[in-house]
């Protein structure tokens, strides 16, 4: 009787194991006795490792021994913390931590001196460590969808930064350090709490795409009109009533744009004073001519 009962229990256990969730790839590899290095993929440009959507609440210890990895994707897990051991991966060029539950980044991130691309979007960050500015090779940085309200002044050292996404945060004003980033060609500050754009925006002489939609901006500074490289200016969903007469100087804006992906001037859903709404409906050339004539009359 006892033997038969034991057999039944064993059979039920086997059925449970077969029906249970599959192990994440990295756990499966380790339990099979494979080297963690077998998880690395060697492409033409980078040695990469992807642990996306593995349900991880913490990072596996073996990760910090993979010193040769250059591209690491830990996005869309439930990570609450990244340990200081991250600093050991000093060959990293691309790091994706997006879609987790991170409240902070370790100071040791500053040891990643080869890092060029960093995604920490869709987390719970309230601040960014000043040590991140030690990553002087950084070219692309996304901190969107967090709870950040300011940046360290040391960010002025990120002189190679070309693309910066700070959308969906809690900025009341554009951080002063940003105006020192002369290599920026893309700046996204949409869905914050901005009330104005400082005249210092003119120092971003290479800016091509500037997005500040869905804020509380009441007017555009004249200095913005002197950034001759601008190809997309999105100020949709603000509180703008008037436009600077010099706006016609932005000759690379080709049209009044309605599709979020289109280049041009996005000016919809603002309480523009008359006759601006009717002028805008006529297209960008009509708007520019109106502003040019207005400036000449004044």
């Amino acid at each position: 009787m006892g033997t038969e009962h034991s057999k039944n229990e064993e059979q039920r256990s086997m059925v449970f194991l077969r029906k249970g969730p599959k192990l994440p790839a990295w756990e499966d590899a380790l339990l099979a006795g494979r080297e963690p290095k077998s998880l690395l993929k060697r492409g033409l440009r980078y040695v990469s490792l992807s642990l996306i959507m593995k349900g991880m609440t913490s990072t596996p210890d073996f990760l910090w021994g993979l010193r040769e990895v250059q591209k690491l994707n830990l996005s869309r897990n439930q990570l609450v913390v990244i340990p200081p051991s991250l600093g050991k991966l000093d060959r990293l060029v691309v790091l994706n931590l997006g879609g987790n539950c991170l409240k902070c980044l370790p100071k040791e991130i500053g040891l990643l001196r080869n890092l060029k691309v960093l995604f920490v979007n869709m987390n719970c960050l309230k601040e960014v460590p000043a040590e991140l500015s030690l990553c002087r090779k950084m070219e692309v940085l996304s901190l969107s969808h967090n709870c950040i309200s300011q940046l360290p002044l040391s960010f002025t050292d990120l002189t190679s930064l070309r693309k910066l996404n700070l959308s969906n945060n809690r900025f009341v004003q554009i951080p002063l350090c940003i105006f020192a980033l002369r290599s920026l060609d893309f700046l996204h500050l949409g869905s914050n709490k901005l009330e104005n754009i400082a005249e210092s925006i003119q120092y971003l002489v290479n800016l091509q795409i500037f997005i500040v939609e869905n804020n509380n901006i009441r007017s555009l500074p004249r200095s913005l009109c002197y950034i001759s490289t601008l190809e997309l200016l999105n100020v949709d969903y603000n509180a703008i009533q008037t436009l600077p007469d010099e706006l016609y100087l932005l000759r690379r804006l080709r049209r009044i744009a309605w599709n979020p992906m289109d280049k041009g001037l996005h000016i919809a859903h603002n309480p523009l004073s008359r006759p601006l709404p009717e002028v805008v409906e006529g297209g960008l050339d009509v708007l520019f001519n109106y502003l040019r004539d207005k400036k000449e009359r004044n």
Side-chain angles (χ1 to χ4, degrees):
M1 183 75 176
T3 304
E4 185 176 341
H5 176 74
S6 298
K7 286 183 178 179
N8 289 337
E9 285 295 320
E10 185 177 350
Q11 288 175 351
R12 280 197 292 269
S13 297
M14 292 300 292
V15 170
F16 174 77
L17 287 173
R18 283 197 297 270
K19 289 184 177 180
K22 291 184 178 180
L23 290 170
W26 61 270
E27 287 187 3
D28 192 27
L30 293 182
L31 288 175
R34 290 164 54 195
E35 282 288 327
K37 287 187 177 182
S38 66
L39 298 172
L40 296 176
K41 293 184 179 180
R42 301 179 185 275
L44 294 176
R45 295 186 63 188
Y46 300 122
V47 176
S48 62
L49 172 62
S50 177
L51 296 177
I52 182 174
M53 294 181 67
K54 301 301 182 186
M56 297 186 299
T57 55
S58 62
T59 51
D61 290 338
F62 75 81
L63 183 59
W64 316 119
L66 302 177
R67 300 286 297 272
E68 58 197 301
V69 67
Q70 296 170 287
K71 187 175 181 180
L72 176 60
N73 191 342
L74 299 176
S75 65
R76 301 174 70 181
N77 282 286
Q78 287 99 46
L79 299 176
V80 178
V81 65
I82 298 294
S85 301
L86 174 67
K88 295 179 180 179
L89 304 183
D90 53 7
R91 295 186 186 180
L92 275 181
V93 177
V94 180
L95 175 59
N96 191 342
L97 299 172
N100 280 286
C101 307
L102 302 175
K103 293 184 177 180
C104 63
L105 294 174
K107 295 179 179 180
E108 287 75 11
I109 198 169
L111 298 174
L112 307 181
R113 303 299 171 86
N114 292 302
L115 196 62
K116 290 185 178 181
V117 179
L118 174 61
F119 291 98
V120 204
N121 51 298
M122 300 183 72
N123 275 279
C124 307
L125 300 182
K126 290 186 177 180
E127 59 183 11
V128 183
E131 287 79 6
L132 186 58
S133 61
L134 297 173
C135 302
R136 303 288 172 80
K137 295 182 180 180
M138 185 87 69
E139 296 179 5
V140 179
L141 174 60
S142 178
L143 297 168
S144 71
H145 293 83
N146 278 284
C147 305
I148 305 168
S149 59
Q150 58 186 355
L151 294 178
L153 285 175
S154 59
F155 260 47
T156 56
D157 294 333
L158 295 177
T159 54
S160 296
L161 196 62
R162 295 187 299 106
K163 303 187 187 303
L164 177 60
N165 190 340
L166 298 173
S167 64
N168 291 272
N169 275 287
R170 298 180 180 176
F171 292 99
V172 175
Q173 61 183 11
I174 300 177
L176 290 176
C177 59
I178 288 180
F179 301 127
L181 306 178
R182 307 296 169 82
S183 297
L184 275 187
D185 58 41
F186 175 98
L187 177 58
H188 195 339
L189 277 155
S191 298
N192 277 281
K193 300 180 179 180
L194 302 179
E195 296 184 354
N196 61 68
I197 300 172
E199 294 284 348
S200 301
I201 193 70
Q202 65 184 312
Y203 297 126
L204 301 182
V205 294
N206 291 301
L207 199 59
Q208 297 176 24
I209 296 177
F210 184 37
I211 303 172
V212 284
E213 65 177 346
N214 196 28
N215 279 283
N216 301 310
I217 298 168
R218 297 177 182 275
S219 62
L220 300 179
R222 281 189 171 86
S223 61
L224 179 66
C225 305
Y226 299 108
I227 305 178
S228 59
T229 51
L230 268 183
E231 298 179 0
L232 189 158
L233 173 59
N234 190 336
V235 293
D236 284 348
Y237 294 97
N238 275 283
I240 298 170
Q241 295 184 2
T242 61
L243 297 175
D245 295 343
E246 294 82 0
L247 195 67
Y248 68 86
L249 296 174
L250 297 177
R251 304 183 189 281
R252 293 197 181 185
L253 297 181
R254 300 297 186 188
R255 68 182 103 176
I256 299 292
W258 304 101
N259 187 316
M261 302 301 293
D262 286 346
K263 291 184 177 180
L265 174 62
H266 297 253
I267 191 72
H269 303 284
N270 280 280
L272 295 174
S273 59
R274 295 189 181 281
L276 284 176
E278 292 81 4
V279 174
V280 168
E281 286 182 7
L284 194 62
D285 288 341
V286 174
L287 174 62
F288 279 3
N289 287 334
Y290 168 81
L291 293 173
R292 186 185 295 108
D293 292 344
K294 182 169 174 281
K295 180 174 174 58
E296 290 175 356
R297 287 197 302 271
N298 294 337

